[in-house]
Amino acid sequence: MAKLVFGMNQSLDGYVDHQEFAPDPALFRHWIEHVRDLTGSVYGRRMYEVMRYWDEDHADWNAEQHEFATAWRRQPKWVVSRSLRSVGPNATLVRDDIETVIRDLKARLGGEIAVSGPDLARSLTDLGLIDEYRLYFHPVVLGHGKPFFAGPRPPLRLVSTDLIGEGTVRLTYVPA
């Protein structure tokens, strides 16, 4: 049975905004390995549109960026959206009955399936489908933006803490 994991970079005050801070080389290496090891990813529309950046090579990329793009392109993706009409390579559009689709993925696949997008994570949490939350705190305070948690959560239990790179702390929680 697959495990559904919601994890994202965020500021100390809990906001996710990929344009406000970037991972250091050690954290970027962590994300390469993480994506390489995933069974797949479930995306909300907005996060999927952000991640489509990795669908095409860019001339200014370094070796690590190419490596991340290769890992990202390889993995299956399920995109939850009612407004999109199509999705890119190695992706499946999920328009209806999200709960049934995700329960089926969890039941028939193994490993980890990443959840990307706070709004999608809220919906999946409300359905009791998220197995683990990974909060990657960066040493910045934004004071605004999209919050990691898009609504109240049930009680969580801390299961691990990790320092990644020189300034990112990962806290891993499971539903209590």
Side-chain angles (χ1 to χ4, degrees), residues 50-119:
V50 167
M51 294 301 290
R52 291 290 312 265
Y53 169 81
W54 299 102
D55 272 341
E56 295 182 19
D57 288 338
H58 296 262
D60 61 339
W61 280 0
N62 62 32
E64 288 77 20
Q65 289 169 309
H66 283 286
E67 191 176 356
F68 180 88
T70 298
W72 189 80
R73 291 172 191 161
R74 163 199 73 69
Q75 69 168 286
K77 297 168 236 358
W78 296 272
V79 182
V80 177
S81 173
R82 289 192 177 96
S83 61
L84 290 177
R85 298 291 171 234
S86 65
V87 291
N90 212 13
T92 301
L93 184 59
V94 178
R95 300 189 79 172
D96 298 306
D97 205 3
I98 297 162
E99 181 177 8
T100 299
V101 171
I102 301 305
R103 286 191 188 282
D104 176 65
L105 291 174
K106 286 181 70 166
R108 69 182 167 80
L109 299 175
E112 287 187 2
I113 299 172
V115 174
S116 294
D119 293 327

Side-chain angles (χ1 to χ4, degrees), residues 25 39 41 90 95 104 107 112 150 157-158 168:
T39 297
S41 292
N90 212 13
R95 300 189 79 172
D104 176 65
E112 287 187 2
R157 181 174 52 84
L158 181 66
T168 303

Side-chain angles (χ1 to χ4, degrees), residues 3-21:
K3 177 167 59 170
L4 218 57
V5 177
F6 174 49
M8 291 183 73
N9 294 315
Q10 63 184 293
S11 63
L12 289 175
D13 54 346
Y15 294 106
V16 297
D17 187 338
H18 71 284
Q19 295 182 6
E20 293 291 334
F21 49 88

Side-chain angles (χ1 to χ4, degrees), residues 116-149:
S116 294
D119 293 327
L120 174 61
R122 177 183 185 168
S123 297
L124 296 177
T125 296
D126 290 346
L127 294 169
L129 294 172
I130 303 279
D131 299 298
E132 193 169 285
Y133 300 85
R134 294 182 188 153
L135 293 71
Y136 292 81
F137 285 103
H138 290 254
V140 297
V141 175
L142 298 180
H144 62 85
K146 184 78 166 171
F148 179 86
F149 288 110

